Amino acid sequence: MDVTTSSATVSAPDISFSGINSASSQSSNPKNIFHISTRPTGKSLSVERSFERKKACPTRYSKLASLFDAHSSQQHFQPNSTIVLHGEPAEEFYMIVSGIVRCCTISPQGARQIFRFAKKGEFVGISDIDTWHFTAEAVDHVILKSVPHTLVEQALATDPALRDEMREQVCCQLEDRERQLLSMVSAKASERLFHFLCEFASSRPGTGYITLPMCRRDIADHLGLSVETVSRTFSELKRKGRIDLASSEKYKICTGTGIDTEVRRIPDFA
């Protein structure tokens, strides 16, 4: 029987959205950049598109990347060090140069839910206006580029293409969060873990063994499971031939049960 932790919580991002009907209205209010159009009937977010989008992130957002290349400073963080703290002023945006950043919310009772593992080429903090709505920590050695909020706001006021990329980034993060929410209430432990392993493998080069930088506790707090269930489910996936484990940190998706199969098996989360 799958065991889930009663303390696991999921927090939606603290983002306000306002409709924008034209480019002129965007120009008159540069901060009002988030407009979500209605999805056509019958179309939904597919797992396949999610995998492909994550692969494309480092090169897809050229305007955002150029902004960081031209105006950023670089910072290093050691494993398990705090990058941003919930409730503190949000004064910078971040782009990950290397390493993994865990983004989490923590309840007053101490329950933790990791809603995102941000990777190389991804952005952190684009949904925060005045204060951080989450805590971000380095999983391993992390190198970040940072750009001040004030500079980004100035660029958004004059660059429609940058506003489009920023809006798309926020929408992508919301879709990922919605998928995670549905998975936590509808998918078995084995499916949650296998999908997580496939998704993580898709962000890594090569087809050999993948090293997980995060610990089992991190994975448990991300998937809404207990540590015991995560450990037992790793063994179950290995026993069923879906993954191969070289060690507790190294795994490989077995042929015929990998990402392509995962795409076909998992229903659209929308």
Side-chain angles (χ1 to χ4, degrees):
M1 182 180 72
D2 300 332
V3 179
T4 59
T5 54
S6 59
S7 60
T9 58
V10 180
S11 172
D14 187 13
I15 308 173
S16 297
F17 293 89
S18 300
I20 300 177
N21 296 320
S22 65
S24 61
S25 64
Q26 290 180 1
S27 300
S28 63
N29 186 2
K31 289 187 178 181
N32 190 11
I33 63 172
F34 304 120
H35 167 66
I36 301 179
S37 60
T38 303
R39 191 186 303 278
T41 303
K43 293 185 178 180
S44 59
L45 177 66
S46 69
V47 176
E48 182 175 15
R49 190 161 82 248
S50 175
F51 282 134
E52 292 304 316
R53 189 189 70 221
K54 290 177 184 299
K55 289 180 181 179
C57 275
T59 56
R60 181 173 183 175
Y61 301 101
S62 58
K63 284 287 186 177
L64 277 168
S66 297
L67 181 67
F68 277 87
D69 288 340
H71 302 287
S72 66
S73 59
Q74 192 163 283
Q75 303 176 46
H76 291 248
F77 295 88
Q78 296 305 311
N80 297 312
S81 60
T82 300
I83 299 170
V84 304
L85 191 62
H86 176 273
E88 288 189 344
E91 298 175 343
E92 295 178 304
F93 292 116
Y94 296 96
M95 184 177 77
I96 302 173
V97 178
S98 66
I100 303 290
V101 175
R102 60 174 170 255
C103 303
C104 58
T105 55
I106 303 174
S107 73
Q109 294 74 34
R112 182 180 70 160
Q113 204 277 316
I114 299 174
F115 60 85
R116 182 187 180 201
F117 288 108
K119 308 172 185 69
K120 178 180 178 180
E122 297 182 355
F123 304 92
V124 175
I126 63 172
S127 63
D128 294 78
I129 307 302
D130 298 316
T131 60
W132 295 109
H133 77 273
F134 64 95
T135 293
E137 301 165 328
V139 174
D140 48 7
H141 179 227
V142 170
I143 302 175
L144 299 176
K145 288 182 178 180
S146 61
V147 174
H149 263 232
T150 52
L151 190 150
V152 175
E153 289 170 0
Q154 292 170 8
L156 288 171
T158 58
D159 192 337
L162 180 63
R163 291 200 295 270
D164 288 342
E165 288 188 4
M166 186 76 83
R167 181 174 61 243
E168 184 176 353
Q169 266 285 306
V170 174
C171 292
C172 287
Q173 290 185 23
L174 281 171
E175 288 176 336
D176 287 343
R177 190 77 66 86
E178 289 167 359
R179 178 180 290 103
Q180 184 189 19
L181 283 167
L182 182 58
S183 174
M184 290 177 69
V185 300
S186 65
K188 295 181 179 180
S190 58
E191 301 310 317
R192 294 187 221 176
L193 179 58
F194 186 65
H195 180 72
F196 169 77
L197 295 176
C198 286
E199 188 175 47
F200 190 79
S202 73
S203 70
R204 288 296 190 261
T207 57
Y209 285 94
I210 306 297
T211 300
L212 287 168
M214 65 285 293
C215 64
R216 297 287 173 90
R217 166 58 68 185
D218 282 352
I219 296 173
D221 288 350
H222 180 57
L223 300 179
L225 302 168
S226 68
V227 177
E228 294 77 13
T229 298
V230 169
S231 297
R232 186 170 64 249
T233 306
F234 264 103
S235 299
E236 177 187 342
L237 293 175
K238 179 181 179 180
R239 185 174 64 255
K240 291 183 177 180
R242 302 180 75 181
I243 64 172
D244 184 23
L245 289 176
S247 68
S248 59
E249 296 85 18
K250 290 187 177 182
Y251 74 96
K252 180 170 64 174
I253 305 296
C254 292
T255 304
T257 62
I259 295 171
D260 291 340
T261 303
E262 181 72 355
V263 167
R264 291 191 296 270
R265 286 192 329 98
I266 296 182
D268 288 349
F269 287 170

